[in-house]
């Protein structure tokens, strides 16, 4: 077999492997984002002030976010982390925090606000404790407030488990 034929067969095999990988990851239309990017900068949440309107936290949050992180707003991303359920329905996770690591528990250290992502599932999904799991959806970057409190800076909307 000539070199040219072997080269073409090898190129075809690599193309097939790439097509299979794309099919397994949703066609490659989602960017993988890690906590090295999301949590790779110092972040200090603004102090809670009941006398200020809720919108006051937004500018204080945005000015701390690196440009590269702000550019992820509205993008389809895949993020891997550990699940901490916030809301369940019929034993399945509807909303949860996706954590950088397993340190957020009764004896661990509290993670920084840029080390978790609030995940809202498109459909309730299986809860997988103690194992890293990947989710894809649309990432919202900026202040997430609930009842006047800043509860996060990252929200993964319409999420589903990544393959």
């Amino acid at each position: 077999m000539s070199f040219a034929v072997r080269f073409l067969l090898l190129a075809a095999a690599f193309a097939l492997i790439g097509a299979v990988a794309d099919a397994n990851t949703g066609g490659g239309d989602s960017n993988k984002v890690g906590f090295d990017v999301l949590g790779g900068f110092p972040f200090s949440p603004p102090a809670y002030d009941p006398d200020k309107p809720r919108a006051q936290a937004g500018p204080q949050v945005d000015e701390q976010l690196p440009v590269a992180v702000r550019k992820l707003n509205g993008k389809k991303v895949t993020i891997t982390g550990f699940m901490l359920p916030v809301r369940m329905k019929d034993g399945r996770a509807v909303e949860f925090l996706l954590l950088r690591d397993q340190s957020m528990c009764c004896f661990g250290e509290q993670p920084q606000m840029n080390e978790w992502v609030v995940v809202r599932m498109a459909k309730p999904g299986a809860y997988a404790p103690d194992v890293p799991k990947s989710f894809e959806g649309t990432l919202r970057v900026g202040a997430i407030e609930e009842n006047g409190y800043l509860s996060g800076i990252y929200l993964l909307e319409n999420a589903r488990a990544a393959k």
Side-chain angles (χ1 to χ4, degrees), residues 43-113:
F43 182 82
S44 298
Y48 173 69
D49 185 347
D51 296 328
K52 288 187 178 177
R54 290 186 205 170
Q56 292 298 315
Q60 295 173 29
V61 167
D62 290 345
E63 67 190 22
Q64 295 184 62
L65 302 175
V67 173
V69 171
R70 281 187 257 151
K71 285 183 176 181
L72 293 170
N73 188 44
K75 304 283 186 202
K76 187 172 183 183
V77 300
T78 301
I79 305 171
T80 301
F82 294 88
M83 297 174 73
L84 178 66
V86 173
R87 212 174 71 200
M88 303 284 281
K89 181 178 181 182
D90 299 325
R92 300 181 67 75
V94 174
E95 185 174 336
F96 54 91
L97 300 181
L98 192 63
L99 305 167
R100 170 185 56 96
D101 58 33
Q102 295 173 296
S103 67
M104 189 175 189
C105 69
C106 56
F107 56 86
E109 66 180 65
Q110 179 179 350
Q112 299 299 308
M113 195 167 281

